[in-house]
Amino acid sequence: GQQLNQSPQSMFIQEGEDVSMNCTSSSIFNTWLWYKQDPGEGPVLLIALYKAGELTSNGRLTAQFGITRKDSFLNISASIPSDVGIYFCAVAPLSGAQKLVFGQGTRLTINP
Amino acid sequence: DSGVTQTPKHLITATGQRVTLRCSPRSGDLSVYWYQQSLDQGLQFLIQYYNGEERAKGNILERFSAQQFPDLHSELNLSSLELGDSALYFCASSVGTTEETQYFGPGTRLLVL
C-alpha cells in the first residue's frame, strides 16, 4: 500500500529553536496535509497544500509542497512549549478515494 | 474545538464483547470518516460515509461495521473484540465527498482486557 516516510521520528530541542521535519513518498500526491496531535486529543489540521511548489505559512509554521509532488516539509520557527506534540503528514491519494494516508509522526519534545 | 464530537471518551471492555462508538460531524458536513490509531500502526483509515451511504473502505475488519444515520451522525460497531483492537478510534468529517480537509474529533480510547 501507499506509505509515507516521515522523519525524524522524534526531536528533542530547546525552547526558541527552529524545527524542521519532512515527509517523503515514492508516489505522487495532489494534496499534502500537516496535522498536530496533542496527548489525548484528535489531530488538528495545521496546513493544507494543494499545488506543487506551494509554500504556505500559518504563524510560526511554514510548509512546502515539493515540486516533484513526492515530498513536503514543515518548519516551526522559535519553538514554544505549546508546540509539544506529535506532527503528522498526510496525503490524499490520486484515486479520488477520500481516505487520508498518514505518516508515522514526528514527536516533538521541548526543553524549557 | 473542531466541532466533531465523539462518545464515549473512554471504553473498557472484555474480549468477545461488542461496543458502539458514536460520532457527530461538524454542522453542515456530510462526510464522516473513521480512523484507528494504534501504537504500532499509526492512523489507519477504516471507512467513509457520505450522506448516509458508504463511499470508501479501508482496512476495516469484517468484525467491524459502521453506518451513518439520516441526521448524519455515525456509529462504528466493533464486535467479537480482541486484545489487539485496543486503540484510539477517531471520527473525522468534511463538507463533501471530495473535500480533503478533514476535521477530527477527540477520539474514543478503547481498551480490551
Side-chain angles (χ1 to χ4, degrees), chain B residues 19-36:
Chain B
V19 297
T20 297
L21 313 182
R22 184 188 168 104
C23 166
S24 291
R26 294 186 321 156
S27 177
D29 285 359
L30 298 178
S31 270
V32 169
Y33 311 78
W34 286 97
Y35 291 84
Q36 179 191 57

Side-chain angles (χ1 to χ4, degrees), chain B residues 1-6 24-27 29 93 103-106:
Chain B
D1 184 355
S2 66
V4 179
T5 60
Q6 288 187 249
S24 291
R26 294 186 321 156
S27 177
D29 285 359
S93 73
Y103 296 88
F104 283 76

Side-chain angles (χ1 to χ4, degrees), chain B residues 49-85:
Chain B
Y49 278 81
Y50 173 75
N51 205 20
E53 294 188 0
E54 182 184 306
R55 273 302 176 106
K57 222 169 185 176
N59 299 322
I60 187 167
L61 300 171
E62 286 192 11
R63 300 183 286 108
F64 296 0
S65 65
Q67 54 185 323
Q68 187 179 27
F69 295 86
D71 68 352
L72 301 177
H73 90 271
S74 177
E75 292 181 355
L76 179 67
N77 301 297
L78 315 176
S79 60
S80 303
L81 285 167
E82 302 175 359
L83 295 177
D85 297 328

Side-chain angles (χ1 to χ4, degrees), chain A residues 31 33 35 37 40-45 48 50 86 88 92 96-104, chain B residues 9 33 35 37 40-43 45 48 56 88 90 97-106 109:
Chain A
T31 300
L33 306 167
Y35 283 86
Q37 186 177 21
E41 302 293 330
V44 174
L45 181 67
Y50 298 107
I86 303 178
F88 291 97
Q98 288 314 300
K99 65 175 185 176
L100 293 180
V101 176
F102 283 83
Q104 292 301 303
Chain B
K9 193 162 177 65
Y33 311 78
Y35 291 84
Q37 185 178 36
D40 58 346
Q41 293 292 321
L43 275 154
F45 170 76
Q48 177 202 1
L88 275 164
F90 288 105
T97 189
T98 59
E99 176 57 66
E100 292 90 353
T101 304
Q102 297 176 19
Y103 296 88
F104 283 76
R109 183 177 293 277

